[in-house]
Amino acid sequence: MTVNGKRKVFSGVQPTGNMHIGTYLGAFRNWVKLQHEYEAIYCVVDLHALTVPVDPAELHRNRIEAVKVLLAVGIDPDKSLVYMQSQVPQHAELAWILGTMTPTGVLNRMTQFKEKSARAGANLGLYSYPVLMAADILLHRADLVPVGDDQRQHLEMTRDVAERFNNRYGEVFPLPEALIPETAARVMSLTDPRAKMSKSDPNPRSAILMLDTADDIRKKIKGAVTDSEPTVAHDWDAKPGISNLLELMSAATGRPVDALVGEYAATGYGVFKEAVAEAVIELAAPIKARYGGLDDKEVAVLLEKGADDARSSAERHQAEVRAAVGLDGV
Ligand code: AMP
Ligand code: TRP
């Protein structure tokens, strides 16, 4: 959908604390870039965060922290609309309507649901999580959705439900496209390079947090699980740990993986890991510095305005959906 000649970008992040470098490289970095070319809307999806048990005081804190991280990575509130999902009730309303046209067979196939329910047990919110995500995107008629690789399946489902809606009720939703980076779209855990780096991993050494100190970063990368064969090479099957570090360094420095392999193939893992650590420190330092300078009160003011703007735009769009399905007026 084009507004004032600009296409729309939308994305969301759960306020679950422990924002890590995977979130930054997989998603936020593109959010920052796209805000210059698109009408940009970025949402802290706090209703999604309720799908696993969470302490209310912690959730409250994490919501503000998430917004501060967004500002620290370079989201500019003059360019992007930033708000909390729960402040805009149209998300939940549209999710209900889309839920009525989402086959349970489709939801049963969602990898993230299968993984999370195996770990934490299933609930209806977790099951319908992708429907609320589809509603987030379609509510704003987004064209482009910058996310990490783990969201690919949810984006495909979003397009399918949009198509189903359009076929039944007329062309209301543009079909959104996922934007997934070429390198570091799936940053892996440092302690288990066959698993995704994740906020919910209980091992603090598995993830580099965006607010880690330089020393933490050095220690974590030094201790990253690799293999016992000492040649630096990119091979996800045989050398997942080293491949992960190569992609991290490539994404942090902008240098191609091949060039890094050429430089470090014969230096041994120690020297290579030090170089990776320094590259990541350089990437994270300005973010951490900007975060430290942010004030909670200013963030609250910004969020109030964000919620107002998001609600009025969401209401305009949602009126169109209500009319399409026959829920307008009395
Ligand atoms: P979440 O924190 O789960 O709400 O994720 C926020 C964004 O970061 C989503 O677009 C994810 O796809 C992305 N993301 C999360 N973890 C990773 C990872 N390990 N590697 C790359 N992208 C990630
Ligand atoms: N499911 C996404 C994640 O875990 C977060 C999310 C919710 C989202 N709604 C969204 C991402 C809409 C993009 C667009 O990362």
Side-chain angles (χ1 to χ4, degrees):
M1 182 144 300
T2 311
V3 178
N4 304 329
K6 272 190 176 175
R7 294 193 350 129
K8 262 200 198 178
V9 60
F10 177 91
S11 198
V13 60
Q14 295 189 71
T16 33
N18 295 339
M19 297 269 189
H20 56 68
I21 204 82
T23 324
Y24 177 67
L25 295 172
F28 293 168
R29 193 137 81 155
N30 274 335
W31 296 20
V32 173
K33 260 192 231 146
L34 292 164
Q35 68 182 341
H36 302 290
E37 302 152 45
Y38 283 74
E39 181 188 348
I41 308 179
Y42 300 126
C43 183
V44 174
V45 292
D46 48 0
L47 295 175
H48 278 104
L50 286 174
T51 55
V52 293
V54 54
D55 173 63
E58 193 180 324
L59 176 59
H60 201 263
R61 218 176 24 252
N62 287 342
R63 291 158 91 227
I64 296 289
E65 185 196 296
V67 178
K68 285 167 75 178
V69 168
L70 290 184
L71 299 176
V73 298
I75 299 297
D76 174 353
D78 290 332
K79 291 205 157 58
S80 300
L81 172 57
V82 177
Y83 72 99
M84 297 279 178
Q85 183 187 40
S86 62
Q87 305 275 299
V88 179
Q90 289 83 357
H91 285 265
E93 183 194 338
L94 180 57
W96 179 264
I97 293 172
L98 297 180
T100 63
M101 51 191 82
T102 305
T104 51
V106 169
L107 295 175
N108 291 336
R109 286 199 293 276
M110 292 293 127
T111 329
Q112 211 161 66
F113 170 70
K114 286 194 257 181
E115 282 169 11
K116 284 192 187 172
S117 56
R119 251 185 288 136
N123 64 63
L124 184 57
L126 195 59
Y127 191 52
S128 63
Y129 178 114
V131 181
L132 180 57
M133 174 162 166
D136 299 340
I137 296 166
L138 300 176
L139 177 64
H140 290 290
R141 315 293 194 260
D143 302 290
L144 194 65
V145 185
V147 283
D149 184 68
D150 60 344
Q151 299 302 313
R152 203 182 281 275
Q153 194 185 28
H154 290 161
L155 254 297
E156 277 162 20
M157 201 212 84
T158 301
R159 288 171 63 93
D160 288 346
V161 74
E163 265 190 309
R164 216 172 292 122
F165 186 103
N166 289 349
N167 286 338
R168 201 179 296 176
Y169 297 112
E171 289 293 316
V172 171
F173 300 123
L175 298 188
E177 268 173 50
L179 181 77
I180 297 170
E182 274 172 27
T183 41
R186 179 177 283 266
V187 177
M188 308 307 274
S189 154
L190 298 180
T191 48
D192 175 5
R194 298 200 189 272
K196 191 182 65 165
M197 185 178 284
S198 156
K199 289 172 178 173
S200 54
D201 194 317
N203 185 344
R205 308 197 70 152
S206 67
I208 299 166
L209 305 187
M210 268 146 67
L211 304 177
D212 272 347
T213 63
D215 230 34
D216 292 332
I217 296 176
R218 271 188 209 103
K219 278 195 200 121
K220 287 181 183 179
I221 292 185
K222 193 164 177 220
V225 169
T226 52
D227 53 85
S228 52
E229 193 266 334
T231 315
V232 171
H234 193 266
D235 179 343
W236 277 115
D237 291 328
K239 302 168 90 66
I242 289 294
S243 304
N244 190 36
L245 294 179
L246 275 168
E247 293 230 1
L248 254 184
M249 184 165 178
S250 168
T253 58
R255 296 179 62 197
V257 166
D258 286 353
L260 299 175
V261 169
E263 186 171 343
Y264 294 101
T267 62
Y269 289 174
V271 171
F272 171 60
K273 280 179 162 179
E274 273 168 34
V276 177
E278 293 316 308
V280 173
I281 289 167
E282 206 167 301
L283 186 76
I287 299 174
K288 193 171 155 61
R290 277 198 297 267
Y291 185 94
L294 292 166
D295 173 56
D296 284 12
K297 287 210 188 75
E298 272 169 49
V299 172
V301 171
L302 188 141
L303 282 175
E304 225 163 283
K305 169 153 192 333
D308 276 346
D309 292 351
R311 267 192 301 264
S312 59
S313 141
E315 181 49 28
R316 243 183 305 116
H317 284 137
Q318 193 52 15
E320 192 189 356
V321 169
R322 282 185 218 115
V325 302
L327 291 174
D328 52 328
V330 282

